[in-house]
Amino acid sequence: MANNYRGEARLLRALCYYSLLTLYSRPSWDVNGDSTGVPLRLNAELELNPAANSLARSKVSEVYAQIITDLNFAETNLPATATPTRAHRNTAIALKTRVYLSMGQYANVITEANKIVPNSPPFIAPSGVANRLEANIATVFPPLNNPPVQGTYVGPEVLLTMPFTALDLPGTQNGLGSYFKIQAPMV
């Protein structure tokens, strides 16, 4: 059970570092990942140490290597099935295919994708959660003229979802826009 949580944590760390790299760094294929990436912090700070906050930026290739290491760990330790709000093995594999695609390692993309997408119809994941594509895209993203209808955020296409409800109020670190929205004065 503890490795399930470690797998989830490593998957989320990989997702965060991948997002940071795509936003703040040069692509992996540019100069073979030898450009500077983001600071790679792998150890927790257990005491107040201001010097630890000046962590140097790691190379893009080093950060991608850590992302792949985290995703390999997650794939091995996450459960085969889970609810859409919990990571599972197919979640780690799908994210790994996206990372390899960004790195330009197309042979690895095919290898990883073959684990969750069969080569012939029906295109349903052969193990773990039976993820598949919806027959109609309008099922996932309904037309805007139907406000009462919501998409299937927990349908068979979903690999991982982080729900946001009306109870998740602004001011709780849920979005930059909520901090700058002009509020009507309370009377």
Side-chain angles (χ1 to χ4, degrees):
M1 186 66 171
N3 274 343
N4 287 354
Y5 291 119
R6 288 184 187 104
E8 283 184 352
R10 302 261 309 251
L11 181 128
L12 291 175
R13 179 171 70 183
L15 178 62
C16 290
Y17 272 117
Y18 175 67
S19 298
L20 287 170
L21 278 181
T22 58
L23 189 59
Y24 295 111
S25 302
R26 307 275 312 165
S28 173
W29 49 263
D30 186 36
V31 295
N32 292 326
D34 201 31
S35 58
T36 54
V38 296
L40 186 59
R41 184 176 301 277
L42 300 176
N43 298 317
E45 289 189 39
L46 301 176
E47 59 187 50
L48 182 61
N49 181 4
N53 291 331
S54 59
L55 190 63
R57 291 173 67 178
S58 300
K59 293 184 180 203
V60 170
S61 58
E62 294 170 340
V63 181
Y64 270 115
Q66 183 60 46
I67 291 170
I68 296 299
T69 299
D70 284 346
L71 291 174
N72 285 335
F73 180 89
E75 179 185 351
T76 304
N77 291 287
L78 285 173
T81 61
T83 64
T85 58
R86 299 304 294 250
H88 51 85
R89 187 176 2 177
N90 289 356
T91 309
I93 295 168
L95 182 56
K96 204 177 344 173
T97 61
R98 185 175 184 136
V99 170
Y100 279 134
L101 189 61
S102 295
M103 296 171 71
Q105 296 183 9
Y106 305 118
N108 288 334
V109 172
I110 293 169
T111 300
E112 294 299 324
N114 282 338
K115 294 177 184 176
I116 57 174
V117 180
N119 290 325
S120 59
F123 299 108
I124 300 172
S127 65
V129 176
N131 294 110
R132 64 174 170 77
L133 292 177
E134 289 282 3
N136 186 351
I137 191 70
T139 306
V140 182
F141 302 106
L144 293 176
N145 58 1
N146 294 333
V149 179
Q150 293 186 1
T152 57
Y153 304 114
V154 293
E157 282 193 4
V158 175
L159 291 165
L160 179 66
T161 183
M162 297 179 190
F164 182 83
T165 68
L167 300 175
D168 299 322
L169 299 174
T172 58
Q173 299 180 2
N174 57 14
L176 185 60
S178 64
Y179 292 103
F180 297 105
K181 180 180 176 188
I182 298 173
Q183 300 287 331
M186 296 187 78
V187 186

